[in-house]
Every structure is written in C-alpha cells, then in structure tokens.
Amino acid sequence: MHSPEQETMALQGDYDCIVVGAGVQGSFTAYQLAKNNQKTLLLEQFLLPHSRGSSHGQTRIIRKAYEQDFYTVMMEECYQLWAQLEMETNTTLFRRTGILVKGPEDDKDFQLFTDTLRRNRVPTETLTHDEFSRRLPHMVMMRGEGARIDTTAGVLYADRALRAAQGYFQSLGGVIKDGVKVLNIQPGSTVTVTTAAGEYRAKSLIITAGPWASTLLSHTGLQLPLTVVKINVCYWREKVPGTYGVDTGFPCFLQIASEGAEYHIYGLPSNEYPGLVKICYHMGSDTEPDRRDRQKDQTDIRILSRFVSLYLPGLEPEPALVESCMYTVTPDHHFVLDQHPSHRNIIIGVGFSGHGFKFAPVVGKLLCELSLGKVPSYDLSPFRIQRFLSQMKSSL
Ligand SMILES: Cc1cc2nc3c(=O)[nH]c(=O)nc-3n(C[C@H](O)[C@H](O)[C@H](O)COP(=O)(O)OP(=O)(O)OC[C@H]3O[C@@H](n4cnc5c(N)ncnc54)[C@H](O)[C@@H]3O)c2cc1C
Ligand SMILES: O=C(O)[C@@H]1CCCCN1
C-alpha cells in the first residue's frame, strides 16, 4: 500500500482529465471522456453508491415535453444514448409509460408545452374529457383543463443508470476514487486538486459537484447564483393496490398550475415500491447540502396533500413515505454548461435545477467536448455563465 505522499508522486500529471463529483452528470461525463480515449479520474467525496446528493433513488422521468425547444431538441439524442448504454451494459434503464401533461387550457405554461410538442412533431395524444375519464378513471380532469400525452416519455431507472455508467467507464480503463473529497483546486495549464489522499493533476478539470458546486467554485474565484433546495420525495399509498401501477398503464404526469401551487406537481406510476405512487412538488425550501436534514419545512407536503385529495381520489391523501433529495437551482432554471471564464481548462456542469437526469448522456458529451476544445454539438447559449453576468450588470 502507498503512503499518501508516494501516491501523490505516482499520480502527478498522470491524467488527461479529472471529474469532480460522481452523480449522474459526472458519471456520464467520465464515461464520455473514456470513450474519447482520455485518461480520466472520477473523484467522489462519499463512498458509492450514496444518497446524499441529487442523483440517488430508483426512478426519474424522461420526456420530450418541455417549454423550450432547445431541451426537446436535445432529447432526441438523449434517448439514443440511453439505449446505447442499455446495450453496452445489457441493463434495462428505460421503461416507456408516456407522460400526461395536464393544466388549464388557457395557461401560458400549458400552452408552451403544447406548442413545443407540436413544433417538434413529438408523438402525442390529446384526450377529451370523455376519453380522459375512460383512459384514466382514477384521476380527475377539471373543467377548462387540457390533457396531452407525450407518448415517448417514461421512467429511467436512476440508481441502475449510475451503476451502469460508472461500471462501463471503469471497463474502459477509467479510475474512480470514492470517499475522496476535493478540498482545493489550483488552476493553471495543469490543474491540481488537493484531497486528504494527496494531490492529483490533469490537463483539464470538470466540476459536476451538484449542490456542493458553490464551495468548489469558490476555490477558483467564481461565484454563480445557485440555490440549493431540499425536495421532499413523497410516496402516496394506493387505496386499491395497482390502481396507478406501471403494469396497468398509468403514465407519468405533469400537472401545470393547479390551484394553490406555484410550481408544477409531477408523479410516476407505482413501480419501485409496490402500492406507492411517487408524487412531488417541483420546488422546496432553501438548505445547505451538508445540513439538509435540519430543513423540516412541509409547505410542499401540504400543497401535495391537497392536490392528491382533489385529483387522485384512489390515493390516501397523506404521504406514506417521505425521502429527500436536493435541487441546485439557477435563476432561470436552465443548466450551466460552460468553461470557467478565467480558466478555460476548467469546465463547469452545474445548476441542473431539478430536471437534469434525463439529459445526462448529452450533458456528458457536451462537457467532454468543451474539455477537448471541440465545437459543442448543441448551441450552448442558454447555458452560458455570461447570462448571469449581464443580469448582474443590468441590475447595477
Ligand atoms: C426529487 C428529485 C426528483 C427529480 N426528478 C427528475 C426527473 O424526473 N427527471 C430528470 O431528468 N431529473 C430529475 N431530477 C434532477 C436530477 O436528478 C438532477 O438534475 C441530477 O441528479 C443532478 O446530478 P448532478 O450529478 O449534477 O448532482 P449530484 O447527483 O448531487 O452529484 C454531485 C456529486 O458531487 C459530489 N461532490 C461534491 N463536492 C465534492 C467534492 N468536493 N469532492 C468530491 N466529490 C464531491 C457529491 O457528493 C455528489 O455525489 C430530480 C431531482 C430530485 C432531487
Ligand atoms: O425533470 C422532470 O421530468 C421532473 C418532472 C417535472 C419537474 C422536474 N422534474
């Protein structure tokens, strides 16, 4: 066994790229780098797998239904890359269920969703009130509401996906060191990161540190407007088991603008815990990543209880189980995918604002392209750091 000093000596300058943070974004970035023959080190502060960040849990939604075209456009390739990883690792990562997008027909957000679906020719079904009652007899469609199903959507098996991406990365020669927290970053033409286990050096560094991003970026002199919020992940018991089950064809859903709710409410069919349906509020209360358990605010749970009793009469209106997770939110809820403004070999992938999981394969590809100095495959203007700087200037 090497002492930390010997390990430092052995590893200095040894990597093409170091990725900090083995959540879904860092894991897919490392996987893409290894595919591009980059000698890559993936550092994670906790022992893997862990449930302290944003990527844990069994399920996430994947969908093309979005308010902005630029997300819907990226999804085409995301689906392909998810399928590719399924083949490479012989693992099922996706189950198609469709997603019901429902809300007041005249609501601005609801219209943005339906317009994006139409413009991008996403396969959809529109349900009238009668069709809705026949198809989804255990859910309520209010007068004045519209209902579209994005039939491409479904569930991603999240924990499994992280294992698959990390495992494939290692099979390509990538190195993962877990239980190794990055304590400092020294920018330069070779970037040095300091950990309790020694220093590691590489030609480029990619920061995918989720809720801890602000702490890490402070070592590079950069401050981004990121807010960390705790999400109560609520599971609701079916009065009759299977009523909202994945096997009975109940879709994921996104409820836009329900009464008393400022943000969307979303749900997934019962699947990972039989008899329990996951329904969450798309916002929570501010927290600090290492102290989220102190955040006990339950405003979101009250909003959800009311929603469940009004719209899903087949569920008990108190959560049967509450887990927790965090969002790292930007002011406009769009991601940050960019080079560091002062250190071009430091690449930043943060601020996924509670909707980044489905994009991880393309995010990984883009962060890899940025670190290799390649032209990114998509227009990154919605994701540039510059958008915050101009906001700050205009408010002066
Ligand atoms: C309740 C909930 C539901 C969601 N639902 C959906 C959904 O349905 N569909 C969807 O697409 N997205 C969804 N999301 C969003 C998605 O899960 C996140 O966008 C995504 O997981 C963010 O991944 P990440 O890799 O950026 O962050 P994380 O998973 O938090 O990874 C960051 C990693 O960096 C590590 N790290 C931090 N600092 C250091 C350090 N100094 N040294 C070493 N390691 C460090 C952390 O320990 C962590 O493992 C949801 C999120 C939540 C919380
Ligand atoms: O990204 C998603 O699909 C989920 C549901 C909608 C709100 C954000 N999180």
Side-chain angles (χ1 to χ4, degrees):
M1 194 155 143
H2 293 297
S3 69
E5 291 75 16
Q6 283 170 320
E7 194 169 24
T8 304
M9 293 300 288
L11 289 172
Q12 272 184 6
D14 220 5
Y15 292 96
D16 293 319
C17 188
I18 296 174
V19 181
V20 186
V24 71
Q25 311 300 359
S27 301
F28 271 87
T29 303
Y31 156 90
Q32 287 291 346
L33 287 160
K35 285 190 157 193
N36 280 273
N37 301 315
Q38 297 300 294
K39 193 171 179 204
T40 305
L41 172 65
L42 175 59
L43 291 175
E44 169 54 48
Q45 63 179 340
F46 300 125
L47 291 179
L48 292 168
H50 74 83
S51 57
R52 304 305 300 161
S54 304
S55 301
H56 58 281
Q58 294 91 335
T59 54
R60 292 291 188 279
I61 295 171
I62 178 168
R63 57 186 160 106
K64 285 191 175 173
Y66 255 88
E67 296 103 313
Q68 296 85 6
D69 286 340
F70 57 82
Y71 286 120
T72 304
V73 166
M74 283 162 79
M75 281 314 300
E76 189 65 38
E77 189 179 2
C78 286
Y79 278 98
Q80 288 164 15
L81 295 182
W82 279 110
Q84 191 175 327
L85 181 63
E86 285 186 312
M87 280 191 329
E88 287 164 344
T89 57
N90 197 20
T91 316
T92 301
L93 300 175
F94 168 65
R95 174 146 183 190
R96 188 161 154 175
T97 63
I99 189 167
L100 165 72
V101 180
K102 180 161 87 64
E105 197 90 63
D106 58 0
D107 180 85
K108 193 168 67 51
D109 276 357
F110 182 73
Q111 282 171 2
L112 286 174
F113 274 102
T114 53
D115 290 351
T116 308
L117 288 167
R118 184 180 33 76
R119 266 197 310 273
N120 292 279
R121 298 195 170 84
V122 177
T124 52
E125 287 173 42
T126 300
L127 302 181
T128 62
H129 275 77
D130 285 348
E131 286 160 350
F132 189 94
S133 312
R134 274 199 299 277
R135 176 89 169 264
L136 301 166
H138 305 289
M139 190 168 193
V140 171
M141 183 176 176
M142 300 284 182
R143 188 195 290 268
E145 281 195 321
R148 307 269 186 291
I149 296 182
D150 161 5
T151 59
T152 69
V155 174
L156 290 169
Y157 293 114
D159 286 340
R160 238 188 239 175
L162 261 74
R163 270 202 307 278
Q166 291 164 4
Y168 202 69
F169 165 65
Q170 287 173 309
S171 77
L172 296 175
V175 178
I176 301 180
K177 289 190 181 283
D178 60 355
V180 176
K181 181 175 180 173
V182 172
L183 303 170
N184 197 14
I185 297 168
Q186 276 170 263
S189 57
T190 298
V191 188
T192 306
V193 302
T194 309
T195 74
E199 289 185 346
Y200 300 94
R201 285 153 53 103
K203 288 179 218 152
S204 67
L205 178 75
I206 302 186
I207 297 179
T208 47
W212 291 266
S214 293
T215 313
L216 268 176
L217 290 170
S218 68
H219 302 305
T220 69
L222 182 65
Q223 211 185 340
L224 295 178
L226 301 173
T227 312
V228 178
V229 298
K230 176 183 170 184
I231 304 298
N232 288 311
V233 181
C234 299
Y235 286 88
W236 308 77
R237 192 177 303 284
E238 295 170 321
K239 292 176 181 166
V240 177
T243 311
Y244 301 95
V246 72
D247 291 329
T248 55
F250 192 75
C252 295
F253 68 83
L254 192 53
Q255 173 75 42
I256 318 289
S258 65
E259 201 193 304
E262 189 185 343
Y263 294 93
H264 307 329
I265 290 172
Y266 58 95
L268 291 80
S270 64
N271 188 4
E272 59 263 41
Y273 304 135
L276 299 183
V277 179
K278 177 155 82 173
I279 302 172
C280 301
Y281 189 48
H282 185 44
M283 197 34 76
S285 301
D286 290 7
T287 191
E288 290 172 51
D290 292 315
R291 295 172 180 221
R292 68 168 167 186
D293 302 312
R294 293 193 188 171
Q295 176 53 269
K296 307 269 187 225
D297 186 41
Q298 303 226 323
T299 311
D300 51 348
I301 298 183
R302 285 193 289 278
I303 292 169
L304 289 168
S305 285
R306 182 176 156 76
F307 169 80
V308 166
S309 47
L310 282 175
Y311 288 87
L312 296 160
L315 293 178
E316 289 175 11
E318 296 297 327
L321 177 66
V322 181
E323 298 177 346
S324 89
C325 190
M326 287 181 286
Y327 287 179
T328 310
V329 183
T330 62
D332 57 11
H333 293 237
H334 300 318
F335 315 152
V336 175
L337 305 173
D338 205 350
Q339 286 163 306
H340 191 293
S342 317
H343 310 291
R344 310 309 281 174
N345 59 346
I346 298 183
I347 312 300
I348 299 166
V350 301
F352 292 95
S353 304
H355 63 113
F357 203 99
K358 62 184 85 59
F359 292 99
V362 163
V363 165
K365 181 175 169 186
L366 287 164
L367 296 178
C368 173
E369 288 170 346
L370 288 174
S371 82
L372 294 175
K374 291 187 183 169
V375 178
S377 301
Y378 295 87
D379 171 17
L380 293 187
S381 44
F383 309 119
R384 294 282 187 203
I385 290 169
Q386 182 64 32
R387 74 193 199 267
F388 305 127
L389 302 180
S390 60
Q391 254 175 21
M392 277 148 64
K393 272 184 209 140
S394 65
S395 65
L396 285 176

